[in-house]
Amino acid sequence: MRSFLVSLAALLAASAAANGEGPLPSVAICVAIKDQAPDVREWIFYHRAIGVDKFYIWDTGSKPPLLNAIRDFVHEGLIHYEFDDKVRPKAGTHGPQVALYDRCLRRWGHAHTFMAFIDTDEFLLLRDGTPTLPALLQDYAGHGGLVVNWEVFGSGGLVLRPKGNSMMSYWRCSPPNHPENTHVKSIVRCSCAVESSTDPHHFLYKSTPECMPVNSRHELVLGPKSPEPALERIALYHYAVKSLDDFKQKMARGSGMGNLKTIDFLRYTDNFTDAYCPDALDWGLQLNTLMALQSSL
């Protein structure tokens, strides 16, 4: 079993420095969210546990505001939260998401070595035994960023929202080489990234050799998809639909890119998620325990 889920970033940084390895890189996440209060805490708890030291959360119109669900993390300083339901979309796009990504880079990129741009239904899963995300990202400090391939999950036939978290509740996934898994999301090296593109998957970088984005195999990936999935070291577990109840709520709120999904998307996703991915179950069980203990304090 994995060690109990606590935030290890400061401890590991001190340990690395003591061993002469130098400090681990600072890693932040930027996210745009609307009406996802039931899901956001498990997502924060998990990514904090693997070494993320700051979250920049843009609330694009939650009712009630998302702050009510994360106020303790804001007071602690873990989260910077802003409410903005009038974001002007970036040219060539139809929603607030990538415009807010650019705000994150401009305002806070200088404070971090790396910044990840993922959604609250996406979890960065370390698959090769590397203890934390900062430790893994050290291996990519000579590149413009690390792009991480999806591993897509379906509903698993669930109709009602499960009582447990996503990582312990869903394990029906796409086969590793499925075309949907060629989609990537970006963890950019802030000193190299110039701005977001017109999609939430890839970024534009300075045109120097040391600022080119790569996948976990150190292969160049410049667009929203890679030639093939690279899932050995790290994967982005994308809980794309969850239960039928969850997906109905997702359809109602829309996406940060202005895309509208119908029930056909759930059927499509369930049709190709016929493989078994148990990797995250242990994390999910540990996460469930941690969240239960925290809520009892």
Side-chain angles (χ1 to χ4, degrees):
M1 296 286 282
R2 289 184 184 269
S3 59
F4 196 71
L5 288 182
V6 294
S7 179
L8 297 175
L11 175 62
L12 288 172
S15 175
N19 291 330
E21 300 172 9
L24 292 173
S26 170
V27 183
I29 293 179
C30 176
V31 63
I33 306 178
K34 181 181 178 182
D35 294 329
Q36 291 175 266
D39 301 312
V40 67
R41 289 187 70 85
E42 67 181 69
W43 182 82
I44 293 166
F45 265 104
Y46 171 73
H47 286 100
R48 182 185 196 181
I50 64 168
V52 174
D53 51 49
K54 190 75 176 186
F55 296 82
Y56 298 100
I57 292 181
W58 297 99
D59 185 342
T60 59
S62 299
K63 297 179 181 179
L66 188 70
L67 180 61
N68 297 332
I70 57 173
R71 194 179 300 274
D72 53 337
F73 291 132
V74 174
H75 287 167
E76 182 186 333
L78 179 67
I79 291 173
H80 177 90
Y81 168 88
E82 290 192 29
F83 185 98
D84 189 344
D85 61 353
K86 295 179 174 61
V87 181
R88 178 177 296 180
K90 185 172 183 171
T93 71
H94 301 285
Q97 188 169 4
V98 295
L100 291 172
Y101 285 179
D102 286 343
R103 282 194 201 174
C104 275
L105 269 178
R106 286 195 305 269
R107 293 190 186 182
W108 302 296
H110 64 88
H112 305 282
T113 315
F114 290 96
M115 188 174 288
F117 296 86
I118 61 175
D119 297 326
T120 52
D121 59 1
E122 297 173 327
F123 290 71
L124 290 159
L125 197 81
L126 310 176
R127 306 183 78 178
D128 69 342
T130 304
T132 67
L133 183 59
L136 184 142
L137 288 173
Q138 276 190 314
D139 293 344
Y140 302 92
H143 300 290
L146 174 65
V147 301
V148 185
N149 286 98
W150 274 351
E151 178 69 78
V152 181
F153 287 73
S155 72
L158 294 181
V159 174
L160 302 178
R161 179 182 173 89
K163 293 183 179 180
N165 59 65
S166 297
M167 300 180 82
M168 67 182 288
S169 300
Y170 302 98
W171 54 87
R172 300 296 296 184
C173 64
S174 50
N177 290 322
H178 192 277
E180 287 289 348
N181 290 347
T182 62
H183 287 90
V184 300
K185 286 292 187 75
S186 298
I187 308 174
V188 307
R189 186 153 65 96
C190 297
S191 61
C192 283
V194 176
E195 62 176 327
S196 64
S197 64
T198 55
D199 64 63
H201 298 274
H202 78 291
F203 279 70
L204 305 180
Y205 298 83
K206 296 177 182 177
S207 56
T208 56
E210 69 274 11
C211 282
M212 294 293 100
V214 298
N215 64 14
S216 58
R217 300 171 185 165
H218 296 270
E219 298 167 339
L220 181 67
V221 179
L222 292 175
K225 296 182 180 182
S226 59
E228 62 179 20
L231 301 169
E232 301 86 6
R233 294 200 70 188
I234 183 172
L236 190 62
Y237 275 31
H238 181 30
Y239 298 95
V241 295
K242 301 186 181 179
S243 69
L244 177 60
D245 276 356
D246 286 301
F247 188 70
K248 286 179 178 177
Q249 293 177 32
K250 186 171 189 172
M251 287 191 295
R253 67 176 176 262
S255 80
M257 291 300 292
N259 303 323
L260 297 177
K261 289 183 169 64
T262 69
I263 200 67
D264 289 337
F265 180 77
L266 183 145
R267 296 189 186 109
Y268 163 72
T269 303
D270 277 352
N271 188 54
F272 72 79
T273 50
D274 55 0
Y276 177 57
C277 293
D279 313 44
L281 294 179
D282 181 47
W283 272 113
L285 291 168
Q286 297 280 354
L287 181 61
N288 205 52
T289 300
L290 177 62
M291 293 182 68
L293 285 174
Q294 194 271 347
S295 65
S296 69
L297 296 177

